[in-house]
């Protein structure tokens, strides 16, 4: 990440809105934003494989659900946050990942300029690929600041995206069981 370019761009934005980048309260803002962007976009050069490659043998083919995984991301259209909860369910095919690895997988994709719809699909695809799961269901509920603080201005509205793969796509009763488990 080129932090010097970020600092220069932020100074230009400060000037473009009619403010003085040398004013006391804004003087260190370009540096703070550069450090923040390094943190919140840390998923750009990270692969979910780093987290999902460590697995454990499992004989069960029952549903595994990690729910209420809180995340923060940045809308790629407006560069304002969206945030919420992800619920990740899968049916193992002989191997399982540590539960924290599912949350880390969500983080990898959330920490990029993002669309909620794409993020939901990316999490599902990563689990299918790296865990060789029999099925995956990912549900993401999020509030988008581009809808609450600007534009239509509807605070509290939530966007829900769902992606099903494998057995979850084929079997409505499995999807309903996950919905019951996450209480949507």
């Amino acid at each position: 990440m080129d932090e010097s370019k970020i600092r220069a761009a932020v100074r230009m934005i400060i000037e473009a809105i009619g403010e003085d980048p040398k004013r006391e309260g804004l003087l260190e803002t370009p540096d703070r934003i550069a450090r923040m962007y390094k943190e919140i976009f840390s998923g750009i050069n990270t692969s979910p494989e780093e987290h999902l490659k460590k697995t454990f043998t499992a004989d069960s083919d029952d549903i595994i659900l990690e729910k209420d995984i809180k995340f923060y991301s940045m809308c790629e259209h407006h560069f304002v946050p969206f945030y919420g909860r992800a619920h990740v369910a899968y049916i193992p095919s002989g191997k399982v990942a540590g539960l924290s690895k599912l949350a880390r997988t969500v983080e990898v994709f959330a920490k990029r300029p993002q669309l909620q719809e794409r993020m939901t699909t990316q999490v599902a695809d990563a689990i299918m690929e790296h865990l060789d799961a029999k099925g995956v269901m990912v549900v993401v509920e999020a509030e988008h600041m581009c809808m609450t603080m600007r534009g239509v201005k509807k605070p509290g509205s939530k966007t829900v995206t769902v992606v099903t793969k494998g057995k979850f796509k084929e079997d409505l009763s499995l999807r309903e069981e996950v919905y019951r488990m996450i209480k949507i």
Side-chain angles (χ1 to χ4, degrees):
M1 188 159 309
D2 190 335
E3 291 183 60
S4 65
K5 278 188 178 179
I6 294 170
R7 286 190 293 273
V10 171
R11 277 188 214 92
M12 289 176 63
I13 290 170
I14 291 169
E15 289 173 353
I17 65 169
E19 267 288 359
D20 178 7
K22 293 179 183 149
R23 183 167 63 77
E24 181 185 14
L26 295 173
L27 194 57
E28 295 177 25
T29 297
D31 190 51
R32 281 191 293 270
I33 290 176
R35 287 191 318 267
M36 175 187 70
Y37 276 9
K38 186 175 182 177
E39 177 185 341
I40 66 175
F41 293 126
S42 63
I44 290 174
N45 295 311
T46 306
S47 167
E49 183 179 16
E50 293 175 32
H51 306 293
L52 295 172
K53 67 184 175 187
K54 175 70 174 162
T55 60
F56 306 95
T57 303
D59 294 331
S60 171
D61 64 354
D62 293 322
I63 296 171
I64 296 170
L65 170 66
E66 181 72 16
K67 68 181 198 170
D68 296 325
I69 302 167
K70 294 199 174 23
F71 72 89
Y72 299 88
S73 192
M74 290 287 270
C75 165
E76 69 182 31
H77 294 154
H78 300 97
F79 261 51
V80 293
F82 68 95
Y83 57 92
R85 303 178 302 162
H87 314 285
V88 179
Y90 72 102
I91 299 172
S93 181
K95 61 183 178 179
V96 296
L99 294 178
S100 70
K101 305 309 182 197
L102 300 178
R104 290 184 191 282
T105 300
V106 170
E107 284 295 302
V108 164
F109 294 113
K111 290 189 174 207
R112 300 175 178 185
Q114 195 56 277
L115 296 175
Q116 180 178 332
E117 299 87 343
R118 181 187 314 119
M119 185 179 98
T120 308
T121 299
Q122 289 171 325
V123 171
D125 288 344
I127 291 168
M128 284 295 285
E129 178 184 348
H130 298 294
L131 296 183
D132 193 29
K134 291 180 182 176
V136 174
M137 182 170 170
V138 178
V139 179
V140 176
E141 308 169 72
E143 186 166 338
H144 292 251
M145 296 303 288
C146 59
M147 284 196 43
T148 62
M149 69 181 279
R150 57 156 306 278
V152 70
K153 295 183 181 127
K154 297 296 177 202
S157 62
K158 296 248 168 65
T159 301
V160 178
T161 50
V162 179
V163 171
T164 57
K165 305 267 183 188
K167 287 192 171 196
F168 287 105
K169 189 166 203 71
E170 301 160 8
D171 188 339
L172 175 62
S173 67
L174 286 173
R175 290 193 303 273
E176 289 173 342
E177 178 66 17
V178 171
Y179 287 132
R180 277 191 297 278
M181 291 168 75
I182 61 177
K183 295 179 176 88
I184 289 185

